[in-house]
Amino acid sequence: MNCPFCGFSESKVIDSRPADEGASIRRRRECLSCSKRFTTYETVESLPMVVVKKDGSRQSFERRKVLDGMIRACEKRPVPLAELEKIAGEIEQDLQNSMEREISTEAIGERVMERLRSVDQVAYVRFASVYRQFKDVDTFMQELTKLLAEK
C-alpha cells in the first residue's frame, strides 16, 4: 500500500477492526517514511454477476435496483426500510452463492416475490403485478386467489 502523502510503499498497521457489519476490514496505517497516518479498507473481491434481461440484453447486477423495486412496491405500507435492505442483501448473497455468473431477471423477480410474500402481501401483489405484467383484472384476480388459497 503506497502512502497517499509521500508515495512510500511500506507502512505498518496500527489498528484493524471490522467495518460495514463485517463485510470489510478497516485498517489504520502509518507510513514508515513520513509517519503520516491513513485509513484503508479491505474487502472480499466478488465475481461480477451479469443480469440477462427479457430482451436478451445484459448488464451488471445492481443491488440498488432490487431495493428500489421493493421500495416502490412497499410505498405507503408499514414495511421498514431496514427489512427491505436486509432482503436485498439476502437476495444478492443467494445469487453470489449460486456461483452463476449470469442470472435472468425472472430468477431475481421470483426471489423478490418469494420474500415479499411473507413480509407484506399487498407489496407482494404490487410487485407481482408489475413484474408479471398483468394484462387485465382476471390475471390480477388469479394471483389474489392463489394468495388467498395459501392462507
Side-chain angles (χ1 to χ4, degrees):
M1 182 61 56
N2 291 342
C3 173
F5 303 105
C6 70
F8 193 67
S9 63
E10 293 186 37
S11 62
K12 66 179 178 180
V13 175
I14 297 169
D15 181 41
S16 185
R17 63 182 67 177
D20 297 329
E21 298 176 8
S24 63
I25 297 174
R26 177 184 180 272
R27 297 194 194 278
R28 208 52 196 139
R29 297 177 177 268
E30 183 177 304
C31 177
L32 296 177
S33 175
C34 69
S35 299
K36 290 193 178 181
R37 294 182 177 189
F38 57 98
T39 302
T40 60
Y41 290 88
E42 184 178 312
T43 59
V44 175
E45 186 176 20
S46 59
L47 295 172
M49 285 185 293
V50 175
V51 176
V52 181
K53 301 182 87 165
K54 289 178 184 175
D55 66 0
S57 65
R58 288 167 165 69
Q59 64 182 172
S60 60
F61 175 81
E62 292 179 39
R63 179 178 175 268
R64 183 75 205 167
K65 286 187 176 183
V66 172
L67 183 60
D68 287 346
M70 289 190 299
I71 288 171
R72 279 193 300 280
C74 293
E75 201 168 285
K76 297 183 182 178
R77 298 296 303 158
V79 180
L81 181 60
E83 179 73 17
L84 298 178
E85 288 173 339
K86 179 181 168 225
I87 292 169
E90 289 171 355
I91 291 170
E92 182 178 25
Q93 192 62 50
D94 285 351
L95 296 173
Q96 287 285 348
N97 291 345
S98 73
M99 299 302 288
E100 298 279 329
R101 293 303 105 210
E102 288 190 351
I103 187 86
S104 67
T105 54
E106 288 84 10
I108 295 169
E110 291 298 327
R111 283 178 167 91
V112 171
M113 287 191 305
E114 178 184 308
R115 287 180 172 83
L116 278 180
R117 181 182 290 140
S118 62
V119 172
D120 187 283
Q121 291 183 342
V122 172
Y124 161 75
V125 172
R126 285 179 179 172
F127 188 88
S129 69
V130 173
Y131 169 71
R132 291 198 175 138
Q133 298 175 340
F134 291 168
K135 303 285 186 230
D136 53 25
V137 175
D138 292 332
T139 314
F140 194 80
M141 285 305 295
Q142 288 172 358
E143 192 63 35
L144 288 175
T145 304
K146 277 193 256 179
L147 194 59
L148 290 170
E150 289 175 6
K151 282 186 171 182

